[in-house]
Amino acid sequence: MPEDVLEFAPSATLSMGVELEVQVLETVDFNLTQGASYLLEQIRRAKVAGDIKHEVTESMVELATGIHTRHDELLAELGALRDGLVAAADRLNLAVCGGGAHPFQRWEERRIVDNPRYRRVSELYGYLAKQFTVFGQHVHIGCPSGDDALYLLHALSRYVPHFIALAASSPYYQGADTRFATSRLHVVSAFPLAGHCPWVTTWDEFRAYFERMRAVGIVASMKDFYWDIRPKPEYGTIELRVCDTPLTVRQAAAIAAYLQTLARRLLRERHTLGGPDRYLAYAVNRFNACRFGFDAELIDAFDGARCRVADDILATVDMLAEDAVALGTGDALAELAAGVRAGMSGAGWMRERAAGDLSALVAAQAALWRGDGAPAGV
Amino acid sequence: MTFDAPMHGNLGLPETGMLVVAVLLLAGALAGELAARVRLPRIVGYALAGIGFGFADTGLPMVDLVGPARLFGELGLGLLLFDLGRRVDPGWWRRDPSLAATALLEMGATFAACFALLITFGIPAPWAAVAAAVALSSSPAVAVAVVRDLKAQGQVTERLLWLSGVNTVAAALAATMLLAWLHAEYAANPWTALLHPLYLVAGSLALASAIAWSLSSGSRFMGPGTTGRLLGSLAAVLLALALARAGGLSVPLTLIALGLLTHMFDRRHQRRSQEFGETARPLVVLFFVFAGTGLALVDFERYAVPALALVAVRWLAKWLAVGVAARFSGLDFRRSFRLGLALMPMSGLSLMLVTDAGRFYPEMGADLTGILITAIAILELLGPLATHFALVRAGEAAQENERA
C-alpha cells in the first residue's frame, strides 16, 4: 500500500556503505566496451565475494560494499572487490578503471543492458540514457529516523561542494577538455528531477510531498529522483550522489570516512538550518565546484561571505578532529587534507597525465585502479 | 593548325590495370551494398562480384586479372592483417590459459580431421599434411571485415580474432615449412632440405620484425595516434609486401607477422597506433573481389564431393573442439559453439598459400589444388555468413541501424 511504502526503516546511526560505478574497457585503445555481462559471469564463476552488478549500459559495473562502521574495514572490502573485479577482467582481456566519465567514448556507441527496467529508461529518456554513461560514487549514511535523515540531508547541503571537489575526476568528456574538474554532474543535471531535495524538514512532510508527486504521476518511486542527496527509506539512510567515482578505492573510502565524520558532528551539534534560503547559493556553489574544483569560490547564502573550497575543506577537517578520533577516521581525513594542500585531485592528475593522448591517459587510469600507488588526493 | 598527337587513346598495360581496378572496385562496392540490403555480409557481395568477373575473364582476354593490378588486393589483405595484429594481444593466453588450450585443441582437431579425410580420398600423406596445415587458418581477413561491419564487441568477437590470428600464424608456418621440406625432399640435396625452409620461415619473420621494429620505434618521432603514424603503417605494409615478394619469401606469413609484431613492440613501449579501419575499405573491397576472381575457374563437377567433405569435416572439427573447450574460458554453452561456428571462413590468405604452393611446387598435383580451391570457393561465400550469424546470435553485433 502506498502509505507504508515510504516508511523510514531506521538503521544504525553513522553506519556507511559505498557504491562505485566503474568503467569497463578494452585493452587496445582503452575505449569503453561491451563487457559487463561477461565480467559478471566470470565473477560469478570465480565466486568473488561481495556485490558486483549491472548498471544501465554494458560498459559499466557497480561495486557495492556491505554496511560498515569503520573506515579501515570499508577500505578492506573495497580493496577485495576491486581485486576480484581486476582478476576477472584480466582473464577476459578487459580493463577496469575509476573516473567520473570516460575521456573520449562516443555516447551513441553505448549499448543499454538488456533488461526491462533499463529498456524503459532508454525508451523514456532517449539519448540521455546513453549519455548517462557516467560513473559515480554513492555513499550511504545510516540515520536513526526519517526526521534525522532530512535534518542531515539539509545540513550537508552546505558541504556538497567539498565532496564534488574531492572526488572530481572527469575533466575530459567526449574527447575534449571540458575545463571542468567534473563534467559528470552536468550530465546528471539534464534529468528533470535532478538538483536538490525540496525544503521539507520532517518525514511526515516528506511523505506528503512524495505522495503528491506520485498521485499526479510525476514519479513512480524514489528511484525517479536524481537528487544530489536523497533519503533511502528502505535502507534507513541518506545517500550522497554528487561524487565522481575516484581513480582509486582508497580515495573512495576516504571520502566516505569524511562524510561519516561530518555526519557525526552535524547530528551531534544540531545546527539551525535557517529555512529554504539555505539553498539560495546552492546551484552556484555546485557549479563553481564542478568547474574549478578546490579553487572554486563558495558563497555563504546567509551573509554573503566567500571562501575557497580548499580552505573550507581544511578548516572543516580541523574542526572534525574530535569526531575523527571517535570514529577512527583520522588517517583518512589527514590523507584527504594532504591532497587538498598539495592541490592534487583526480582531475588534476588526469590533466597532468593526458599530454594530448587520451588513450594513454585511460591506460594509466586502469593501472592506477589496480593498486594503491597513487599520490595523496588521487 | 595541325595536331601531331594521335586523336585516339592508347590503352597500354598500366592503363588497363587501372581500368580493371576501377571496374572491379565499382562492381564490388555495388554488390556489397546490394548484399547489405538483403542483410548479408558485404564481403559476400564483394566475392560474388569477383566470381562474376572471373567467369567473364575467360571471354575477355584483355582484362588481365592476374596482372599487377592484383597487388591492390594483396595490399588490402596486408592492411586487414595489420589491423588484426592491432586487436590481438598474443599474451592473452597467459592470463587465460584455457584460451591456449582452446587454440591447441581446435588446431589439433582440424589438422587430424582434414588429414584423415584427404588420405581417404587418395591424396599422398605428405601433401595431405600440407593441405591440412592450410586448412588450419580461419580467415583473419573475413573475421576483421565482418567484425567491423557489425561493429561487434564482446568475448566471442575478441576470441574469434585471437584464435584466427593464432591459427593463421600456425597455418602459414606449418604450410611453409612442410612445403619447403617436401620440395627439398624431391630436390635430393640435404643442404637445401635444411636451408630452404629455414630461409622461408626465418626470412619472413626477420623481415617482418625489422619493419615492425622500425615502424614502432619511428613512431616516437610522429607523435601518438596521428596521421603520420598511419602513413608510416601504410608504408610498412607496402614495404613488407614488396620485399617479401622480391625475396621469394612467404607473403602471408610476412604480412600477419608484421601486424602482430608491430603491435607487440607498441604495447611493450606503450606506443599507440591508429587502425586503418574504414580508410582501407577500397583496398579491402579489391582484396575480396580479386580473391573471388580466382575462384571462378574452379572445376565444381570434378571436385565438389571431396571439397564439400573437406568443408564439412573442417567445420565440424573446429565447431566441436571450440564448443567444448571455450566453456572453460567462461563462455556459456551457446556462445562457445557460436565461437566455433564463427571460425568457419577460409579465404584469400589460404588461397595465396595454395596458389604459391601450386606455382612453386608442381609436384603437389592438380587434384589437391583443385580440392582446396573448390573448398575455399565454397567457404568464401559460406564462411562470412557463418561468422556474421554467429556474432549476431551471440548478441555482440550493434543494432542494425548502428552498423557500418
Side-chain angles (χ1 to χ4, degrees), chain B residues 252-271:
Chain B
L253 184 57
T254 310
L255 290 180
I256 191 156
L258 175 69
L260 288 168
L261 290 169
T262 302
H263 299 98
M264 234 167 71
F265 293 138
D266 276 354
R267 255 187 289 274
R268 197 172 298 159
H269 297 101
Q270 296 180 342
R271 295 185 187 124

Side-chain angles (χ1 to χ4, degrees), chain A residues 27-30 32-34 38 41-42 45 90-94 108 110-111 130 357 359-360 363, chain B residues 86 92 95-96 98 151 153-156 159 224 272 327-331 335 395-398 402:
Chain A
T27 57
V28 179
D29 295 313
F30 287 87
L32 290 177
T33 192
Q34 183 180 2
Y38 289 111
E41 173 64 16
Q42 191 74 34
R45 287 195 190 197
D90 278 348
R91 256 180 87 84
L92 299 174
N93 201 25
L94 296 168
E108 65 272 23
R110 302 284 64 83
R111 300 188 195 159
K130 285 190 178 182
D357 184 351
S359 273
Chain B
R86 193 171 178 278
W92 184 3
R95 280 165 276 137
D96 180 8
S98 65
K151 292 194 175 166
Q153 283 180 0
Q155 288 295 308
V156 175
R159 282 158 203 269
R272 247 151 245 298
R327 298 188 59 197
F328 298 101
S329 300
L331 289 190
R335 286 201 171 91
E396 299 197 349
E402 291 166 356

